[in-house]
């Protein structure tokens, strides 16, 4: 069985202060602040397929601007000001400021110790995600890593999963994937017949009527070892 992990909010969490980072981004871009960090961060699960981290932040800002259009401080959702803030936010982030999600380090070590091929499938960029892996000291734990690449599909598209499985010489029906996002990790795995494991990022998360159904739900990464 091949074991595939997501990275952000599955294996690691960002220890940076989003309020400080967002404030620095608005200041650096010279754009009046039109949202707080809580509002900005709350949109991350709504962003679809994008080609880069900057585009991800740009889409978050577009969603916020669209919702707060009645606020005179909010720019138009298509404003180039949002591009400037997104670039500044990316530049202001410290991608070395990460730590393991509780139980995640043990889950990864159990996967490696099992002797099965272990892969990483993440929508984050190669540069950003490699920085995180190196900061966590786990860059060498994976037999294959698939990152978000400009012009290439990202999860939930099957292509990143297929690339990982090909690199691991594994079949979808003999693979398991754990991630925190139903619409991205679970949906992508289910589409290929990969056994899906959902580790929700928040305790109160539920599977809605329009959400893909995971094969397993675990409430802590410490539970993952029992599935392999």
């Amino acid at each position: 069985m091949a074991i595939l992990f997501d990275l952000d909010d599955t294996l690691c969490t960002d220890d940076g202060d989003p309020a400080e980072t967002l404030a620095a981004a608005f200041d650096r871009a010279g754009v009046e602040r039109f949202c707080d960090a809580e509002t900005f961060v709350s949109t991350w699960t709504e962003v679809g397929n994008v080609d880069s981290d900057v585009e991800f932040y740009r889409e978050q800002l577009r969603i916020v601007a669209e919702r707060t259009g009645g606020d005179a401080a909010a720019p138009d959702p298509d404003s180039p000001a949002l591009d400037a803030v997104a670039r500044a936010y990316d530049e202001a982030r410290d991608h070395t400021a990460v730590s393991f999600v509780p139980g995640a380090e043990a889950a990864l070590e159990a996967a490696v110790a099992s002797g099965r091929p272990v892969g990483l499938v993440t929508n984050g960029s190669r540069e950003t995600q490699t920085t995180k892996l190196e900061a966590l000291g786990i860059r060498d734990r994976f037999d294959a890593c698939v990152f978000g690449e400009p012009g290439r599909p990202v999860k939930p598209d099957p292509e990143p999963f297929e690339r990982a499985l090909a690199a691991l010489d594994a079949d979808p029906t003999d693979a398991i994937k754990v991630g925190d996002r139903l619409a991205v990790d679970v949906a992508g795995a289910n589409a290929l017949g990969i056994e899906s494991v959902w580790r929700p990022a928040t305790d109160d998360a539920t599977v809605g009527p329009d959400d893909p159904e995971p094969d397993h739900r675990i409430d802590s990464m410490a539970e993952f070892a029992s599935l392999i």
Side-chain angles (χ1 to χ4, degrees), residues 103-201:
E105 186 173 17
L108 178 58
E109 292 305 324
V112 173
S114 73
R116 298 175 174 89
V118 179
L120 181 78
V121 183
T122 171
N123 284 356
S125 70
R126 180 180 299 273
E127 180 180 5
T128 294
Q129 304 301 67
T130 298
T131 297
K132 295 176 185 177
L133 294 174
E134 291 174 348
L136 294 166
I138 58 172
R139 180 64 183 89
D140 63 348
R141 298 294 198 277
F142 300 96
D143 300 300
C145 292
V146 174
F147 304 101
E149 307 280 1
R152 301 197 74 155
V154 293
K155 300 179 296 183
D157 192 277
E159 196 258 14
F161 297 94
E162 292 170 339
R163 287 164 57 198
L165 293 174
L168 298 173
D169 193 24
D171 187 83
T173 58
D174 192 29
I176 189 169
K177 170 67 163 62
V178 58
D180 64 293
R181 298 182 65 184
L182 288 169
V184 176
D185 300 294
V186 172
N190 287 358
L192 279 178
I194 298 171
E195 190 173 352
S196 58
V197 182
W198 181 42
R199 203 290 300 184

Side-chain angles (χ1 to χ4, degrees), residues 69-85:
D71 186 338
D76 184 275
D78 297 320
S79 170
L82 301 188
D83 296 287
V85 177

Side-chain angles (χ1 to χ4, degrees), residues 5-28:
F5 287 95
D6 175 46
L7 182 58
D8 296 309
D9 294 309
T10 298
L11 290 178
C12 76
T13 186
D14 186 350
D15 293 332
D17 185 338
E20 290 183 4
T21 305
L22 188 62
F26 278 118
D27 290 345
R28 186 177 301 184

